Amino acid sequence: MSLKQLIHTVSLKLKISEEQTIEKLNIIAEIVKNEIFYKERLTHYDIGDLTGNVIINELLREGMASKYLSYECEVTDSVDFAIALSEKCNHCGEELADSPTHIIREAYTLNKPFLELIGQQKKEQLKKYIIEDYRSNLDRLKNRTHKIIPFLGAGVSIPFKLPSWKNLLLQLDKGLNETNREKYIDLIQQGDYLKALSFLKIYSGLYQNEQTIKKDIKSIIKSSYIKEPNNTFHNILDILKLDTQFIITTNYDNIVSDYLKDYRGEFVMPQNLDTLDDLQDLMEEDTQKVIHLHGNADMYNSMIVTEDDYNKLYREEKIKDVLNGIMSNKTLLFIGFSFKDQYFKDLYDKIYAQIKGEHFIIIENLHPFDAAELLKRNLIPIGINVDKEEENSFVKAIRTVLEELY
Ligand SMILES: [Zn+2]
């Protein structure tokens, strides 16, 4: 019996990647553990009938799961389990086969060796993707899973073909003369994105008007977005599965809301600071909500794009009220930010000034030297190994962290 063989066979039969197969096996193991379950239970977790059937059949064939018959005895109004139809009802004594007074359904359990193999496979994933030095930080975060609020940066939007902050700005280099274009690119390379935008507003013949910048940003976002139907290629669903009341983002795109609609089966209006009128109401509703601190592209006037916008925003009472309202006793988990960017450092300092507390950040290939700088800011790093050669490595590493938090 081998997990590898099982993964291989299931992926062939379902025509999905081995990675997706592992994901599905993990979900099943996570949901049902060692309990007796019915197939229908799996459909609530994005595992359809066909997929469920194939996986269960292969598990049974490999001896990794066992099949039971659950029966409801209408004579005595009791429920019980049997292995075969030739058995007699434990309650009324009638043989189960062809009995009109017993409702019989198939039920299953996952066998211990399968659960152990899945557990082992998870351990290997953790070892591969979490930099050992930061394991204790991850454990610390695991102790506060009910307090986490994800705070998303541009990195989570990359699998949807959206440009990073940097590449977005590089596309806005219009109306600049040669010298000014060089200076503009220089500011972007330093990660000083807001300053770059302020620069653009002053020196670009095209972007003197802020509205024009915002409209162009909106159209770049709208035209770049490609919805990714394969959930193993991005982390949005992994983030939604944390089931947190709020998801905060500085991204202008509405990707999270788009996937939230699929996940919840209803559209929840994304919020930005202008639309957040009644914070009390918002706190009382128990639907998941996305809050765009810097506005969103659908309402391009709400977008914070220049240094002036930005400084004004963080001076106002509103952001203080919102952050404090949402954040009482909560822990932020920053995902998809680069600590090398001046942009993030400023942002974090501004937010930290309003909320204090201890927060976490997932960072790829983090050197201990940089970790010290983060810790000085009360930002606890979880360093992940991202291998540029491996496809989808960043997404897989983040998923490995998030799976520890469910
Ligand atoms: Zn009976």
Side-chain angles (χ1 to χ4, degrees), residues 328-349:
S328 59
N329 206 21
K330 293 284 205 289
T331 293
L332 292 173
L333 174 60
F334 292 92
I335 309 170
F337 287 99
S338 165
F339 184 64
K340 289 189 197 105
D341 293 345
Q342 192 52 42
Y343 173 75
F344 178 73
K345 290 183 196 177
D346 288 345
L347 171 74
Y348 180 75
D349 286 345

Side-chain angles (χ1 to χ4, degrees), residues 234-388:
H234 62 81
N235 293 117
I236 305 299
L237 201 62
D238 306 320
I239 292 162
L240 292 176
K241 273 159 60 185
L242 291 170
D243 274 329
T244 57
Q245 192 183 4
F246 298 103
I247 293 167
I248 303 179
T249 182
T250 45
N251 297 346
Y252 304 132
D253 66 70
N254 284 303
I255 296 174
V256 181
S257 295
D258 194 14
Y259 280 84
L260 185 59
K261 189 178 77 195
D262 299 342
Y263 183 62
R264 294 271 158 205
E266 59 171 338
F267 180 70
V268 182
M269 193 69 182
Q271 305 283 333
N272 56 54
L273 289 185
D274 297 332
T275 58
L276 278 176
D277 283 332
D278 200 333
L279 202 57
Q280 200 55 39
D281 278 0
L282 201 71
M283 301 296 295
E284 280 163 11
E285 294 167 22
D286 60 356
T287 47
Q288 273 181 303
K289 270 171 235 67
V290 185
I291 298 178
H292 294 260
L293 281 190
H294 294 174
N296 76 63
D298 279 344
M299 303 167 74
Y300 67 88
N301 275 321
S302 69
M303 282 158 47
I304 302 294
V305 299
T306 62
E307 213 170 4
D308 288 344
D309 284 350
Y310 183 80
N311 288 333
K312 185 165 163 269
L313 170 78
Y314 285 94
R315 263 199 314 268
E316 280 172 358
E317 286 298 308
K318 182 99 188 205
I319 193 151
K320 203 173 280 183
D321 292 347
V322 168
L323 286 173
N324 282 312
I326 298 170
M327 289 300 302
S328 59
N329 206 21
K330 293 284 205 289
T331 293
L332 292 173
L333 174 60
F334 292 92
I335 309 170
F337 287 99
S338 165
F339 184 64
K340 289 189 197 105
D341 293 345
Q342 192 52 42
Y343 173 75
F344 178 73
K345 290 183 196 177
D346 288 345
L347 171 74
Y348 180 75
D349 286 345
K350 285 198 157 63
I351 288 173
Y352 188 74
Q354 325 234 9
I355 56 173
K356 305 286 183 229
E358 216 176 45
H359 307 285
F360 292 74
I361 183 167
I362 303 176
I363 298 198
E364 61 181 275
N365 306 329
L366 180 66
H367 192 281
F369 183 80
D370 293 328
E373 193 185 336
L374 288 164
L375 285 168
K376 247 186 264 162
R377 293 169 189 240
N378 283 301
L379 195 49
I380 303 168
I382 296 168
I384 51 175
N385 287 314
V386 174
D387 177 358
K388 300 282 177 217

Side-chain angles (χ1 to χ4, degrees), residues 126-135 363-367 382-386:
L126 268 178
K127 211 172 156 190
K128 177 175 173 189
Y129 289 115
I130 313 293
I131 302 173
E132 189 54 36
D133 298 350
Y134 306 104
R135 274 295 279 275
I363 298 198
E364 61 181 275
N365 306 329
L366 180 66
H367 192 281
I382 296 168
I384 51 175
N385 287 314
V386 174

Side-chain angles (χ1 to χ4, degrees), residues 71-76 78 89-94 96 99 101-102:
Y71 61 89
E72 214 181 307
C73 172
E74 287 180 335
V75 180
T76 61
S78 31
C89 170
N90 281 334
H91 304 275
C92 70
E94 197 179 303
L96 293 171
S99 162
T101 48
H102 295 87

